[in-house]
Amino acid sequence: MAQVAKPQVKVEKTSNRPDEWKIEQGLAGAELPVLDMTKPQTEPLVPQVFGPCTKDEEAIKSVGDPNKLFTREREGWTGFVEWENYPEKKAAAHKILTSQTFPPNPEFQLGPIPGTNPVLPGTHWKMWHHAVGGELTNIPEDSWSTVLKEKHPDMLHLLQFPYNGEPPKRLVTDKEITPNPLHFVRNHGGIPLIDKDKYSFVVDGFVAKPREYTLNDLMDESRFPRMEKIITMQCSGTRRIEQILKYPGQGDEVPQAPWAEGAIGTAKYVGISMKKVIKECGGLVEGAKHLEFYGADTYFKDDKTMNYLVSIPYSKVKANEVMLTWEMNGEPLPAIHGFPLRIMVFGYIGARSVKWLYRIKAIKQPSRAPVQSQEYLYFPQQVGKHNFKLTDGIQIQEMPVSSAIMSPWHKQVCIHNGKIRCKGWAYSGGGRWPERVELSSDGGFNWYTVPVDNLSKKRRWTWRTWQFELPCDPEGWVEIVCRCWDNALNTQPPNVRTAWNWGLHVTSSCHRISVYSINKTRPLTRARLDEFEKAGIPFGPITVPLAFPAQTWEDYEKYWKTHDPRDAEDD
Ligand SMILES: Nc1nc2c(c(=O)[nH]1)N[C@H]1C(S)=C(S)[C@@H](COP(=O)(O)O)O[C@H]1N2
Ligand SMILES: [Mo]
């Protein structure tokens, strides 16, 4: 019998990781060593590793009883712990938070974004509230109950706690005025539940006559004329997802919410002008130029507790562009939107429109509180973890012109008769308004103007929703682009990169989506679609191969009978 030669298999141990390919392709960038090339040889620097969490029980106990330390500040104000007047209380909470460590944030910037609703749980914020205890203990759970009670069941919950949610695209511009249950919510902490009969706020700092106001005071029309305004509020995080998806992992480490185009909403507010209130307090004194607003929720930053504080220049108040409001779309403000009283700063970033207001303080310089001085900064591009200084960032106030396409969606296949039906919004901050909306179906080379009659009403402080049948002859992947021109002829940067910034704020570039165009006015396309219909086979998805031969062999032969062969004769 012939000997069969056995193949010689030499097994060598690989030094690759099992996921070597993924790592090499940059799909797990957070795990890569940093390369230090400052010496003749490149040296890999290992990234920071987080050990197991630690907790110094003794130190925490020595702080005292949280139920006595962190009590409800005022009767009828569930969930309100006042921090700003109590440095010793802040110190106690700080000691509790620094006597233990918490697990690091999950890495989702370079990894996949979870496909759940809520998308992100907000584990840290929940843990911090529970760790401090006292009045904060139940806040994460109570806040979620409020969300379920007040918001529409179709809301997309981006962050469970602090609650961040937006309506799905099909509902963002469904109505020109956003119904309250569908208005986006951006919270930095819990939702204080305040009894309106126990409600008041103070005005102090550099005002001539510091005062306290109840709701009844504000509603007294002999003192304060009523003000009614339709206002669009936009969070500076709106459309952040474009910056995240286009350049994953390149932004600030902890984007708190991967907002799409729904962090914008429009409502009719009733209240009074803040200017009248400040006037009653005798105006500002000693050269004060800003007003600091205090919200009753608790905000955590760098192991410290505080209330939600921001400021705006007094000039904005003097212009009657700041309102104290208790009514939203004909109803009392929902708890989640600031009941019983919030501020609305027209045309500014949403962050200045403080909810659950408990204090207005006149100050000389913009607030040094973190939400004003450390967050909501618009950094230049060459700035990041390696070199940024807070003073490099522009404190975002007025929002720039922006727009977005709500239908169709990115990657959608559209069968049309030469026109793609599009819908969306356009907005400009600072009291400017959308004057023209344009769409392109060729990536931004040629632009069609949306007829003015297809735009909702023009107002100084609101968006305009629009719809348009966008001409589109070509088939296959096309890039639909939308841009707005405001009344000052400002328009949007052409693409995400031209306005990319480390903090991932104010994504105001032209909104671009890729759509697969199937133009049914073309006879061949119409015939092909008819074939699908006759066969009872769904056409989509576009990535699944054709379900039947594209051509019969009979047809094929017929063609060559009447046409030259592909070869060319050599004569
Ligand atoms: N007290 C308080 N006010 C607040 C916030 C907050 O977290 N706490 N978030 C601000 C931000 S960033 C935005 S965009 C708007 C959102 O308002 P809305 O939740 O009513 O839509 O509220 C602002 N006012
Ligand atoms: Mo915001």
Side-chain angles (χ1 to χ4, degrees):
M1 264 202 124
Q3 280 286 122
V4 179
K6 265 199 187 157
Q8 288 287 306
V9 183
K10 201 171 137 211
V11 182
E12 274 185 85
K13 211 170 146 357
T14 173
S15 51
N16 289 344
R17 305 169 44 141
D19 56 351
E20 184 72 22
W21 179 85
K22 181 175 156 185
I23 296 275
E24 289 183 0
Q25 294 313 315
L27 299 173
E31 291 171 52
L32 293 178
V34 170
L35 298 183
D36 181 355
M37 299 179 173
T38 57
K39 294 169 197 133
Q41 293 288 325
T42 297
E43 272 179 38
L45 308 178
V46 283
Q48 195 178 356
V49 261
F50 297 90
C53 294
T54 59
K55 196 169 179 181
D56 183 344
E57 300 281 358
E58 279 307 303
I60 294 171
K61 225 195 220 150
S62 75
V63 173
D65 179 1
N67 292 321
K68 294 198 180 113
L69 286 167
F70 314 119
T71 50
R72 186 175 303 182
E73 178 67 17
R74 294 166 67 173
E75 196 203 326
W77 290 52
T78 307
F80 174 34
V81 177
E82 226 253 68
W83 299 101
E84 302 309 324
N85 262 333
Y86 304 97
E88 65 290 351
K89 209 172 9 174
K90 281 191 172 187
H94 185 58
K95 178 143 190 210
I96 291 174
L97 291 166
T98 49
S99 300
Q100 55 194 306
T101 58
F102 299 91
N105 259 308
E107 168 53 52
F108 71 88
Q109 284 212 76
L110 283 160
I113 296 177
T116 48
N117 191 32
V119 179
L120 303 170
T123 314
H124 272 175
W125 286 275
K126 290 177 190 167
M127 286 190 298
W128 294 331
H129 276 74
H130 293 153
V132 170
E135 184 71 12
L136 300 190
T137 311
N138 297 325
I139 284 184
E141 292 68 29
D142 286 357
S143 286
W144 184 239
S145 306
T146 305
V147 172
L148 297 179
K149 198 156 64 193
E150 293 190 341
K151 299 318 283 185
H152 194 284
D154 292 346
M155 285 291 277
L156 304 177
H157 312 303
L158 300 178
L159 184 65
Q160 188 178 35
F161 184 79
Y163 182 69
N164 280 231
E166 65 182 316
K169 283 193 217 289
R170 68 177 187 280
L171 298 177
V172 173
T173 48
D174 191 40
K175 301 213 160 64
E176 184 192 349
I177 308 280
T178 319
N180 290 350
L182 282 169
H183 195 283
F184 86 94
V185 177
R186 201 286 184 243
N187 286 343
H188 291 74
I191 302 163
L193 298 171
I194 303 169
D195 176 350
K196 76 173 188 340
D197 297 325
K198 299 276 158 47
Y199 179 78
S200 66
F201 69 91
V202 293
V203 182
D204 64 1
F206 295 109
V207 287
K209 293 175 279 177
R211 294 198 51 152
E212 185 169 355
Y213 288 93
T214 64
L215 271 188
N216 283 338
D217 293 334
L218 303 186
M219 289 175 180
D220 180 350
E221 287 190 76
S222 66
R223 277 165 79 180
F224 302 113
R226 258 328 126 79
M227 193 177 189
E228 190 181 291
K229 273 262 167 348
I230 302 178
I231 300 160
T232 293
M233 181 173 48
Q234 188 187 22
C235 179
S236 68
T238 320
R239 297 179 52 204
R240 169 176 290 153
I241 192 67
E242 290 163 56
Q243 298 198 51
I244 295 177
L245 293 183
K246 199 95 191 173
Y247 302 101
Q250 298 188 16
D252 196 354
E253 317 90 281
V254 206
Q256 303 190 353
W259 293 112
E261 309 82 12
I264 182 166
T266 302
K268 185 162 96 185
Y269 297 91
V270 172
I272 60 170
S273 174
M274 187 182 285
K275 181 183 183 177
K276 307 276 177 203
V277 173
I278 303 298
K279 265 199 158 163
E280 238 198 39
C281 296
L284 303 201
V285 293
E286 293 187 44
K289 283 207 172 90
H290 300 263
L291 293 178
E292 190 173 52
F293 305 143
Y294 292 54
D297 42 343
T298 293
Y299 175 68
F300 286 80
K301 173 89 180 168
D302 301 333
D303 295 314
K304 295 189 189 93
T305 49
M306 57 207 84
N307 296 114
Y308 184 89
L309 266 67
V310 292
S311 71
I312 60 162
Y314 181 56
S315 56
K316 184 77 181 160
V317 175
K318 276 209 293 209
N320 280 312
E321 292 170 4
V322 184
M323 185 176 182
L324 290 162
T325 169
W326 54 81
E327 195 184 295
M328 183 176 183
N329 289 332
E331 292 165 14
L333 271 182
I336 207 163
H337 292 292
F339 182 87
L341 192 78
R342 85 173 298 171
I343 292 169
M344 284 301 292
V345 182
F346 312 164
Y348 268 30
I349 174 180
R352 313 296 172 230
S353 292
V354 170
K355 308 192 265 191
W356 316 291
L357 176 74
Y358 78 87
R359 183 180 183 189
I360 297 173
K361 185 181 175 188
I363 55 177
K364 294 189 175 175
Q365 284 176 327
S367 173
R368 297 306 193 237
V371 181
Q372 188 71 31
S373 60
Q374 299 180 44
E375 313 284 339
Y376 298 107
L377 297 177
Y378 195 85
F379 285 111
Q381 215 198 329
Q382 292 284 306
V383 145
K385 181 177 181 175
H386 60 289
N387 69 350
F388 86 98
K389 301 191 306 293
L390 296 174
T391 45
D392 289 332
I394 302 171
Q395 291 186 7
I396 307 162
Q397 303 278 53
E398 281 184 8
M399 293 301 284
V401 59
S402 184
S403 64
I405 304 159
M406 293 295 92
S407 177
W409 301 341
H410 188 45
K411 300 273 167 86
Q412 208 150 27
V413 176
C414 294
I415 301 172
H416 58 89
N417 284 322
K419 285 178 177 178
I420 296 180
R421 199 166 298 139
C422 299
K423 276 190 202 172
W425 55 257
Y427 171 71
S428 189
R432 293 170 294 274
W433 56 86
E435 204 41 73
R436 180 184 297 156
V437 176
E438 292 176 322
L439 273 90
S440 166
S441 57
D442 62 4
F445 194 81
N446 291 296
W447 296 89
Y448 294 89
T449 299
V450 176
V452 282
D453 295 337
N454 290 17
L455 264 60
S456 66
K457 193 175 161 181
K458 188 195 293 189
R459 295 185 200 85
R460 216 177 143 206
W461 305 105
T462 70
W463 69 3
R464 298 178 82 178
T465 57
W466 53 262
Q467 50 190 333
F468 185 51
E469 304 264 335
L470 173 65
C472 180
D473 180 61
E475 299 195 288
W477 289 104
V478 296
E479 193 179 39
I480 301 184
V481 197
C482 168
R483 73 177 177 197
C484 170
W485 295 85
D486 72 14
N487 62 306
L489 298 192
N490 297 305
T491 194
Q492 305 173 237
N495 56 56
V496 166
R497 195 61 191 177
T498 45
W500 183 90
N501 65 102
W502 181 59
L504 308 178
H505 284 294
V506 195
T507 316
S508 64
S509 51
C510 295
H511 191 205
R512 292 172 184 269
I513 58 167
S514 292
V515 160
Y516 195 89
S517 155
I518 299 182
N519 188 347
K520 224 177 155 176
T521 63
R522 296 188 177 196
L524 278 176
T525 299
R526 193 173 334 118
R528 176 66 47 85
L529 291 174
D530 283 350
E531 272 189 277
F532 269 90
E533 206 179 316
K534 253 185 251 140
I537 302 169
F539 181 77
I542 197 70
T543 46
V544 167
L546 188 61
F548 40 80
Q551 216 173 358
T552 63
W553 284 111
E554 217 172 85
D555 259 6
Y556 187 85
E557 294 300 348
K558 208 159 109 193
Y559 178 88
W560 294 122
K561 279 203 183 109
T562 51
H563 291 78
D564 283 344
R566 276 285 182 258
D567 306 337
E569 297 288 324
D570 196 3
D571 58 12

